[in-house]
Amino acid sequence: ELTGSIPSEIGNLVNLTSLDLFDNEFTGSIPPEIGNLINLTELFLHSNPGLTGSIPPEIGNLVNLTTLNLHGNELTGSIPSEIWNLFNLTTLNLHGNQLTGSIPSEIGNLTNLTYLKLSDNQLTGSIPSEIWNLTNLNYIILHSNELTGSIPSEIGNLVNLTSLDLFDNE
């Protein structure tokens, strides 16, 4: 098991296409220098229960990302708006943190998403209608938040959906 903080110098590894630091005992925050790794297609920083602080907005620089997996940490704050500009994402997993705020309409930018897991956080507000236009989605997992509102008829647009988990919301 690796321990300590993730050094800011990781941002010097600009040729990385995949960064897998999951299932360790890293502590502290995600260094903003991670945004220098513009060739990344996969970022796995999940299952580090000592990883705290907010998601750095610099992650929005990683325009080639197809997979962003930050689940099972202790991340706080809202989801940075820069994430909604990662148009190539197919997998977004932020499950099991302490994220707050709402899911913004800009989630509709992520038209390539097949897997969306934002469950087990403290997200509030309604599910934005733009989610129901993401027709490539196979999985929507939003359970165990504080989401409110109704499920609109547009859910019928999601003809590729194989799993829909919305239980345990307010």
Side-chain angles (χ1 to χ4, degrees):
E1 251 175 28
L2 298 175
T3 60
S5 61
I6 300 170
S8 61
E9 289 79 8
I10 201 160
N12 296 338
L13 307 178
V14 294
N15 291 311
L16 284 181
T17 57
S18 182
L19 179 56
D20 303 338
L21 298 176
F22 61 89
D23 203 14
N24 284 292
E25 293 292 331
F26 288 117
T27 56
S29 58
I30 301 172
E33 290 82 3
I34 215 155
N36 297 344
L37 306 180
I38 58 172
N39 291 305
L40 281 185
T41 59
E42 298 177 320
L43 178 56
F44 297 97
L45 290 178
H46 61 84
S47 305
N48 287 286
L51 206 56
T52 59
S54 57
I55 300 170
E58 290 82 0
I59 280 183
N61 297 341
L62 307 179
V63 295
N64 293 306
L65 275 187
T66 59
T67 299
L68 177 58
N69 193 333
L70 302 177
H71 87 263
N73 296 308
E74 294 289 332
L75 300 173
T76 56
S78 59
I79 302 169
S81 59
E82 290 81 0
I83 281 182
W84 311 122
N85 295 322
L86 298 176
F87 305 119
N88 292 308
L89 280 182
T90 58
T91 297
L92 177 59
N93 187 348
L94 304 178
H95 163 84
N97 283 286
Q98 297 174 22
L99 298 172
T100 55
S102 61
I103 304 169
S105 60
E106 287 80 10
I107 195 169
N109 296 343
L110 305 183
T111 55
N112 292 305
L113 270 188
T114 60
Y115 186 93
L116 175 64
K117 189 170 187 180
L118 303 177
S119 51
D120 199 16
N121 279 291
Q122 298 162 22
L123 299 173
T124 56
S126 59
I127 299 170
S129 60
E130 288 77 6
I131 280 185
W132 313 120
N133 295 323
L134 298 176
T135 56
N136 290 313
L137 279 172
N138 301 130
Y139 296 88
I140 298 178
I141 305 165
L142 301 176
H143 68 78
S144 305
N145 278 293
E146 299 168 21
L147 299 170
T148 56
S150 59
I151 299 173
S153 60
E154 286 81 6
I155 195 170
N157 296 340
L158 302 182
V159 295
N160 293 307
L161 207 59
T162 58
S163 183
L164 176 64
D165 293 345
L166 301 175
F167 66 87
D168 194 23
N169 276 287
E170 291 292 310

